[in-house]
């Protein structure tokens, strides 16, 4: 007992107990600080965990250090070397008391403020506010393909995409679009991490195993906030009954989340082979290339040979014509009547076919039939309020401020869609909100650094913000994927350099004139037009604009409000174009 008392007394005399208390308080405060700052610096979630482990490992070393060493007026010395008249253990003890109180105060303040954390787009906020997703939100992750054939991936993805569409017709649910959800295929992230990334409350995950005509679908619904499984089930059925399985899954989820169930009216097709060809068409469309669009069209046409009453296949065919006009040489004037015919056929077979309404709306918008286009998009959204594409395209035919609401909703439902971010940037441009335009372009650039259009948008915004040097540097932010893209980016950089150094203007114009005689996409044509306007070449810009509007009428719908065209206003040639194509207004 005496030895124990003597040991405790020695611990006190050497301030070891105070040093340990300070270490614990400081580690607690620092751990909370690391937890709050990690998101702001993009550090992984395990950073705090390993910091705490490191503190625990370091504790015995700190204790030994406090036992053997003491701070003296002559510096840090081993305790055995310190003469008693030099010892300042009492003074050091009082200082340690203050340090302990200070560390505890910091830790308590952080605890009482509920641990402020970094929330993208909103800065530091309480942790609860950083992840408080809408209760009605859900994402359907790509179901894992458990079949022996890896080539069946299109099948599992197709079934998941169809299920996403079916759930979207439940008006009580906000369903993340398939394009965004598909990026989480084979993800190792936890439900909480995915939930935070997409700001959704619920995650539907599962597997699909197909053996011949037999299909097993296993699904689970998880609360992304708590990580708790809300519901799970597996279904064994034949491939021809896959639509009934999807319907049962959708009904079970609606019941689990206590929302109104929107069931299928009837199976879209009774022909399993037709359904499989249709799924292959969807997979081909997702590539968004000329070859992919052509392959999709072929698959949809094969589908319709097997089942001419398959409305979804008709709608897919309609969209394939539109996509071909964007990514291939198919003229829009040839694509539009084919699109309209296929979409109308789909609606004659299924009056609630959302994709057909969207295709018809796009055809009407490109034909400058704005009232009809609005009606088509409104009908699509009445059936499927979670359809990001319908929101995004609806924004193309609305006044700017109303359009902004639709594009923001599209970006919320499909945050990884580069087109949604691009549309947001264009809207902010037309509204003259340059900082917000830059923010949308930053999101676009992060999603797809190969999209060179972002560089031209950055350059325009920075020029309007009187940041000429940043306009030049904007072209270093993108990664051109082709030699032509690189040539465009180089010309853009040179053009904005010429605005700062007029001696470079002849060289910049020569670079633009070279590109003008190259077969460019509509987007590239718009970028080149912007450069001519930046250099004050109005006549050339007007000649190009006439051709652009003929090839892509909907791209000229903002002639009256787009500040890029401010130098052309008042010119009779421009005013004629504006009267013919401009449909967007600011209000």
């Amino acid at each position: 007992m005496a030895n124990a008392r003597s040991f405790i007394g020695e611990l006190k005399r050497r301030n070891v107990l105070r040093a340990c208390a300070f270490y614990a308080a400081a580690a607690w405060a620092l751990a909370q600080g690391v937890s709050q700052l990690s998101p702001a610096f993009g550090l992984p979630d395990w950073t705090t965990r390993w910091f705490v482990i490191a503190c625990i490992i370091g504790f015995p070393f700190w204790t030994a250090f406090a036992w053997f060493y003491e701070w003296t007026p002559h510096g840090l010395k081993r305790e055995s070397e310190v003469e008693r008249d030099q010892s300042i253990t009492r003074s050091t003890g009082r200082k340690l008391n203050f340090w302990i109180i200070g560390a505890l105060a910091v830790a308590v303040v952080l605890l009482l403020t509920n641990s402020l954390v970094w929330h993208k787009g909103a800065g530091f906020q309480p942790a609860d506010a950083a992840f408080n997703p809408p209760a009605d939100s859900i994402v359907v992750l790509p179901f894992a393909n458990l079949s022996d054939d890896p080539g069946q991936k299109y099948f599992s993805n197709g079934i998941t995409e169809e299920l996403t569409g079916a759930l979207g017709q439940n008006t009580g649910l906000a369903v993340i679009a398939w394009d965004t959800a598909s990026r989480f295929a084979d993800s190792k992230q936890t439900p909480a991490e995915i939930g935070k990334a997409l700001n959704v409350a619920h995650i539907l995950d599962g597997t699909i195993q197909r053996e011949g005509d037999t299909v097993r679908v296993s699904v689970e619904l998880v609360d992304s906030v708590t990580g708790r499984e809300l519901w799970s089930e597996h279904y064994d059925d034949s491939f021809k009954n896959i639509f009934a399985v999807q319907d049962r899954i959708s009904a079970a989820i609606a019941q689990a989340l206590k929302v109104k169930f929107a069931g299928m009216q009837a199976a879209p097709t009774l022909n399993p082979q037709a359904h499989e060809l249709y799924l292959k068409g969807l997979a081909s469309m997702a590539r968004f290339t000329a070859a992919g669009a052509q392959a999709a069209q072929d698959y949809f046409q094969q589908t319709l040979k097997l089942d001419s009453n398959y409305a979804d296949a008709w709608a897919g065919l309609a969209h394939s014509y539109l996509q071909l006009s964007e990514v291939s040489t198919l003229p829009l004037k040839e694509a539009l009547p084919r699109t309209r015919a296929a979409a109308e056929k789909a609606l004659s077979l299924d009056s609630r076919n959302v994709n057909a309404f969207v295709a018809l709306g796009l055809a009407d918008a490109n034909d400058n039939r704005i009232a009809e286009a609005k009606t088509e998009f409104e009908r699509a959204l009445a059936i499927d309020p979670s359809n990001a594409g319908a929101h995004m395209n609806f924004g193309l035919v609305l006044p700017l401020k109303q359009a902004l609401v639709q594009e923001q909703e599209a970006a919320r439902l499909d945050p990884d869609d580069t087109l949604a971010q691009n549309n947001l940037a264009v809207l902010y441009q037309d509204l003259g909100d340059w900082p917000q335009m830059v923010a949308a372009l930053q999101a676009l650039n992060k999603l797809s650094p190969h999209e060179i259009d972002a560089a031209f948008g950055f350059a325009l915004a920075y020029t309007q913000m009187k940041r000429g040097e940043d306009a030049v540097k904007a072209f270093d932010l993108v990664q051109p994927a082709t030699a032509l893209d690189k040539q465009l980016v180089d010309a853009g950089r040179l053009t904005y350099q010429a605005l700062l150094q007029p001696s470079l203007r002849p060289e910049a114009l020569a670079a633009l004139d070279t590109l003008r005689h190259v077969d460019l996409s509509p987007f590239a044509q718009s970028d080149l037009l912007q450069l001519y306007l930046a250099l004050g070449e109005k006549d050339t810009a007007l000649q190009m604009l006439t051709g652009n509007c003929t090839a892509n009428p909907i791209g000229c719908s903002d002639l009256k409000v787009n500040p890029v065209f401010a130098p052309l206003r008042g010119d009779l040639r421009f005013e004629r174009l504006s009267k013919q194509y401009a449909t967007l207004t600011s209000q």
Side-chain angles (χ1 to χ4, degrees), residues 19-95:
C20 290
F22 170 69
Y23 184 94
W28 182 27
L30 286 171
Q32 292 188 61
V34 170
S35 176
Q36 295 169 23
L37 291 172
S38 292
F41 290 96
L43 299 178
D45 293 343
W46 47 258
T47 302
T48 303
R49 180 168 64 250
W50 281 105
F51 176 80
V52 172
I53 292 173
C55 289
I56 294 172
I57 294 172
F59 182 76
F61 296 97
W62 175 266
T63 304
F65 180 87
W67 175 271
F68 288 111
Y69 289 90
E70 178 181 352
W71 282 103
T72 74
H74 304 288
L76 188 66
K77 291 189 175 183
R78 287 181 63 94
E79 200 279 339
S80 60
E81 299 173 352
V82 179
E83 297 180 7
R84 289 288 167 254
D85 60 346
Q86 291 181 317
S87 178
I88 56 169
T89 54
R90 291 184 180 179
S91 174
T92 301
R94 287 193 294 270
K95 291 179 181 179

Side-chain angles (χ1 to χ4, degrees), residues 290-312:
Q294 186 60 62
Q297 188 174 112
D298 293 342
Y299 279 127
F300 293 139
Q301 289 171 338
Q302 292 176 50
T303 300
L304 292 169
K305 287 180 180 179
L306 295 175
D307 184 352
S308 60
N309 293 322
Y310 195 170
D312 286 341

Side-chain angles (χ1 to χ4, degrees), residues 140-146 160 204-208 217-220:
V140 183
L141 298 183
F143 286 9
N145 171 35
L146 298 187
T160 314
L204 185 70
D205 200 1
T207 62
I208 293 183
V217 182
S218 299
V219 288
E220 65 172 354

Side-chain angles (χ1 to χ4, degrees), residues 9 21 83 87 92 111 121 124-125 138 224 271 278 341 344 364-365 398 409 430 433 496 574 578:
E83 297 180 7
S87 178
T92 301
L111 185 64
F124 285 101
Q125 293 185 345
I138 187 171
S224 64
N271 188 318
Y278 169 73
E344 289 174 344
D364 287 334
L398 293 174
E409 181 65 6
D430 289 349
D433 191 338
Y496 282 90
F574 176 78
S578 182

Side-chain angles (χ1 to χ4, degrees), residues 162-244:
E162 288 182 331
L163 183 57
T164 300
L167 286 173
Q169 296 189 26
N170 289 279
T171 55
L173 287 177
V175 185
I176 294 295
W178 164 252
D179 287 342
T180 289
S182 65
R183 297 178 189 266
F184 290 86
D186 304 318
S187 174
K188 303 302 180 184
Q189 292 177 276
T190 65
E193 290 168 340
I194 295 174
K196 288 178 181 178
L198 298 176
N199 195 35
V200 293
H202 304 98
I203 294 174
L204 185 70
D205 200 1
T207 62
I208 293 183
Q209 186 171 8
R210 181 182 179 187
E211 298 294 339
D213 290 331
T214 302
V215 178
R216 162 168 281 201
V217 182
S218 299
V219 288
E220 65 172 354
L221 182 67
V222 178
D223 185 319
S224 64
V225 178
T226 64
R228 183 168 58 92
E229 182 184 276
L230 301 176
W231 164 81
S232 66
E233 187 59 86
H234 72 267
Y235 303 87
D236 293 313
D237 215 319
S238 63
F239 177 37
K240 68 179 181 181
N241 291 330
I242 191 65
F243 294 114

